[in-house]
Amino acid sequence: MSLNSLLQNKTVLLVDDDDDSLQVIGARCRSVGMEVFTARNLLTALGQVEKHRPDVVCVDVNMPTGNGIGFCEMLASDPATAAIPRILITGDVTAERKEDARRLNAPLVPKSLDVWGTLLPHLERAVSVGPVKEKQPAKDATLAKTKAPGSERSSTEVPAESILKFDRVSPGDPETEVANAHEVEVRQEELLDSVFALLGSELEEDESSDEFTEEAGPPWILCIDDDADFTDALRCRLEAHGVAVVRAFDGMEGYRTAFSKPAKAIILDYEMPNGHGDYVLRRLKENPVTAEIPVVMLTGNKDKSIKRKLMALGAAAYFNKPVRFDELRRELAEHVEILGEPLLSGSSS
């Protein structure tokens, strides 16, 4: 049987934050007859697994949005996805990575100029030998345990039944459609919980870690908002006061950025992709690394119940958009001392 006939009409999910890698490997997979799905972060990858149930998953080990090892462990812990063959791709071929691959029964493909030549036979084998059989099943089949790289202290336990659900309510009458809509909403929340739990376990460090010590330079504020024009304008205004601004454009990116070093404050939009503001706020306040950072919420939604909910979750302040800069500055001055000083020459409020 030829290689093409083995891979013809098979589906593969490629998970990598490197667009060039996705394009090159994706084109190669299509050239042998495979249908290709791609994801650049773990949340999208989980959604693709749920939607398409690929015949094989190829995942990069090191990504800004999470660790491919943890992603494979999540798949392995759920009976609905445990049988999907997994292939790890990495530029970090160490003894630890080889042990991870052995434990997950997943081939380890080094990133190189000939990555396709190494990957191709593993793809053929994955679609021909059948379901994955774990060499070391978890001690408790109901838990997926992920550990931060290099850390023996930090771990996260995620119920397997809360990771991915593939049960479907049959379409039909309006009551069934309502049930379907509710199931989708619950499933999306479960996907977010799984990914943010994984990120939290990877990002949380010991309090003594140099990563979280104060560094020389101007104070900075993290702005998590998908409105690029607003965040750019805000950055210009705050920089005029000597305050640096780091921007993130979705909930997951913002949550991860909050761990880079302690921000003086966080400005958080309510409605965003990959984690609404209330969800991100709750996660920030639950994690001891970020719990004490004041969070100022912004929203264009006029529903007063939203304000009550966000303040109850621990927001330091709440503003409706469009917000006046002088009002926002006065609130931020409670947390960033330099903002209480007069404006720099040539700037205005």
Side-chain angles (χ1 to χ4, degrees):
M1 181 178 291
S2 69
L3 180 64
N4 281 0
S5 63
L6 282 174
L7 298 178
Q8 187 75 31
N9 299 322
K10 299 296 184 179
T11 56
V12 58
L13 171 62
L14 305 178
V15 187
D16 198 323
D17 62 300
D18 186 335
D19 286 336
D20 291 338
S21 180
L22 287 180
Q23 291 177 9
V24 170
I25 297 178
R28 292 285 194 170
C29 289
R30 293 185 186 95
S31 72
V32 295
M34 302 191 79
E35 184 177 3
V36 177
F37 306 105
T38 61
R40 291 169 177 80
N41 59 63
L42 294 184
L43 181 62
T44 303
L46 287 170
Q48 293 283 53
V49 169
E50 179 182 11
K51 181 178 180 180
H52 299 294
R53 297 295 295 275
D55 294 304
V56 59
V57 172
C58 300
V59 57
D60 186 22
V61 171
N62 297 312
M63 295 183 293
T65 55
N67 186 287
I69 301 297
F71 175 73
C72 288
E73 289 174 341
M74 292 167 69
L75 296 184
S77 69
D78 191 333
T81 60
I84 298 176
R86 301 169 291 275
I87 299 174
L88 295 168
I89 302 177
T90 182
D92 179 29
V93 183
T94 62
E96 181 182 3
R97 287 289 169 258
K98 291 178 180 178
E99 173 58 24
D100 288 331
R102 187 201 66 78
R103 175 171 53 83
L104 291 167
N105 198 16
L108 189 67
V109 176
K111 282 191 173 181
S112 67
L113 294 177
D114 190 34
V115 63
W116 175 247
T118 308
L119 177 62
L120 187 56
H122 289 304
L123 287 171
E124 179 184 22
R125 190 173 299 110
V127 301
S128 62
V129 300
V132 170
K133 294 182 179 179
E134 295 301 316
K135 292 186 177 180
Q136 291 185 355
K139 292 181 180 180
D140 184 346
T142 65
L143 295 178
K145 299 185 178 181
T146 59
K147 191 176 292 290
S151 169
E152 297 302 322
R153 177 185 60 84
S154 174
S155 65
T156 300
E157 296 185 352
V158 184
E161 64 271 17
S162 296
I163 294 176
L164 294 173
K165 292 182 182 294
F166 293 96
D167 297 334
R168 293 288 185 270
V169 180
S170 301
D173 56 65
E175 290 186 3
T176 301
E177 293 179 1
V178 171
N180 276 327
H182 175 69
E183 183 183 358
V184 169
E185 182 179 350
V186 170
R187 192 160 56 250
Q188 289 173 342
E189 182 77 5
E190 291 171 347
L191 290 176
L192 279 172
D193 281 338
S194 299
V195 173
F196 274 74
L198 178 61
L199 284 175
S201 70
E202 291 173 350
L203 295 169
E204 185 176 349
E205 300 284 348
D206 291 326
E207 292 181 1
S208 59
S209 171
D210 291 339
E211 185 178 3
F212 298 109
T213 57
E214 290 288 349
E215 299 179 4
W220 70 285
I221 289 173
L222 172 60
C223 182
I224 310 173
D225 194 315
D226 61 330
D227 186 336
D229 292 335
F230 169 78
T231 60
D232 190 49
L234 181 65
R235 179 178 62 182
C236 291
R237 302 298 289 276
L238 289 174
E239 285 179 349
H241 291 266
V243 177
V245 175
V246 175
R247 299 189 295 168
F249 298 100
D250 65 48
M252 189 187 304
E253 180 188 4
Y255 181 73
R256 181 178 180 83
T257 305
F259 286 79
S260 60
K261 65 176 182 177
K264 291 294 185 180
I266 295 174
I267 299 172
L268 178 59
D269 189 26
Y270 178 68
E271 295 181 345
M272 292 182 302
N274 288 342
H276 275 203
D278 55 341
Y279 185 89
V280 177
L281 174 63
R282 175 165 63 83
R283 283 291 185 175
L284 289 171
K285 293 302 176 182
E286 287 175 348
N287 196 301
V289 174
T290 54
E292 299 304 316
I293 302 176
V295 181
V296 177
M297 299 297 306
L298 304 179
T299 181
N301 195 312
K302 305 300 182 182
D303 187 344
K304 293 182 179 179
S305 66
I306 293 177
K307 179 179 181 179
R308 293 193 294 270
K309 176 174 67 174
L310 295 176
M311 297 304 288
L313 286 172
Y318 171 97
F319 292 97
N320 277 115
K321 289 183 176 180
V323 58
R324 288 176 55 85
F325 176 72
D326 57 348
E327 295 178 350
L328 182 58
R329 179 171 67 89
R330 279 195 294 270
E331 173 58 37
L332 292 174
E334 297 292 324
H335 316 290
V336 186
E337 184 177 354
I338 191 173
L339 286 174
E341 298 176 357
L343 298 178
L344 300 181
S345 176
S347 63
S348 63
S349 61

